[in-house]
């Protein structure tokens, strides 16, 4: 008959071995996801992200007064990413001077993620094109972004919406 100490030691050893095996499977699975993202960084953005943005519509910078003028603009909505570089945006814009918010969906939307988690998104929304720059944070569960809409010329200092926002995975 086995002593109680030997039975306990055997069970403890089996538990430790099982725990080590489960841990190694979990680590290899996580490493596999990381390796997939390194092969195609666009896979890091996949699914839907809710966002809230604020900025200026019709922004103009006065070099004399060093002030930005324009109507305050806010937008809430959902980005949807396919993990392959295609996206959609469904959002509601509310700008000072409007009687009601404007509900909009993208006509065109593509994105690129760099290996370091930064990226850009090109889209057309409400007939205007815009370029968004973003950085993935919080293990790709969030991204912070800024965008300039309504102009394709980076040197243009006016006539655009200047926006900053944070998006969170839903």
């Amino acid at each position: 008959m086995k002593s109680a100490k030997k039975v306990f030691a055997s069970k403890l050893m089996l538990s430790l071995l099982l725990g080590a095996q489960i841990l190694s499977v979990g680590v290899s699975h996580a490493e596999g996801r990381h390796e997939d993202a390194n092969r195609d960084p666009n896979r890091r953005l996949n699914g839907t992200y809710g966002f809230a943005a604020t900025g200026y519509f019709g922004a103009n910078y006065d070099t004399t007064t060093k002030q930005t003028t324009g109507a305050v603009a806010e937008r809430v909505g959902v980005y949807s990413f396919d993990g392959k570089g295609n996206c959609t945006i469904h959002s509601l814009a509310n700008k000072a001077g409007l009687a009601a918010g404007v509900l909009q969906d993208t006509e065109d939307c593509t994105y690129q993620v760099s290996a370091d988690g930064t990226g850009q998104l090109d889209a057309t929304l409400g007939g205007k094109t815009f370029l968004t720059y973003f950085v993935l944070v919080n293990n790709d569960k969030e991204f912070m972004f800024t965008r300039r809409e309504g102009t394709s010329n980076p040197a243009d200092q006016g006539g655009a919406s200047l926006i900053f926002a944070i998006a969170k995975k839903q």
Side-chain angles (χ1 to χ4, degrees):
M1 183 170 211
K2 291 186 179 181
S3 74
K5 286 183 179 180
K6 286 185 180 181
V7 170
F8 176 76
S10 296
K11 287 183 178 182
L12 179 62
M13 184 59 82
L14 284 173
S15 296
L16 290 173
L17 288 172
L18 180 60
Q21 184 177 11
I22 289 170
L23 181 62
S24 71
V25 168
V27 167
S28 68
H29 180 67
E31 287 172 352
R33 282 194 318 251
H34 184 40
E35 288 171 9
D36 287 344
N38 285 337
R39 279 191 287 261
D40 182 4
N42 286 339
R43 294 180 73 170
R44 293 178 66 180
L45 270 179
N46 195 355
T48 58
Y49 291 75
F51 73 92
T54 190
Y56 291 97
F57 176 72
N60 286 299
Y61 181 71
D62 185 331
T63 56
T64 305
T65 64
K66 308 277 191 234
Q67 293 182 346
T68 299
T69 60
V72 173
E74 296 181 354
R75 184 179 294 272
V76 295
V78 176
Y79 280 97
S80 297
F81 299 98
D82 69 356
K84 299 175 186 175
N86 301 298
C87 50
T88 61
I89 306 168
H90 177 74
S91 64
L92 176 75
N94 192 4
K95 300 171 187 169
L98 293 179
V102 178
L103 189 61
Q104 296 175 313
D105 291 304
T106 46
E107 291 114 45
D108 184 45
C109 186
T110 58
Y111 68 95
Q112 290 180 301
V113 179
S114 299
D116 66 358
T118 60
Q120 72 179 49
L121 181 143
D122 295 294
T124 304
L125 184 68
K128 291 185 178 183
T129 60
F130 61 89
L131 181 59
T132 298
Y133 296 98
F134 61 84
V135 60
L136 294 166
V137 294
N138 194 14
N139 292 320
D140 304 342
K141 293 177 187 154
E142 299 179 47
F143 63 92
M144 295 180 283
F145 65 92
T146 186
R147 80 175 192 211
R148 226 179 127 73
E149 114 186 359
T151 179
S152 60
N153 181 357
D156 182 9
Q157 293 295 312
S161 291
L162 304 174
I163 295 177
F164 173 76
I166 296 177
K168 295 186 178 205
K169 189 146 190 168
Q170 293 185 307

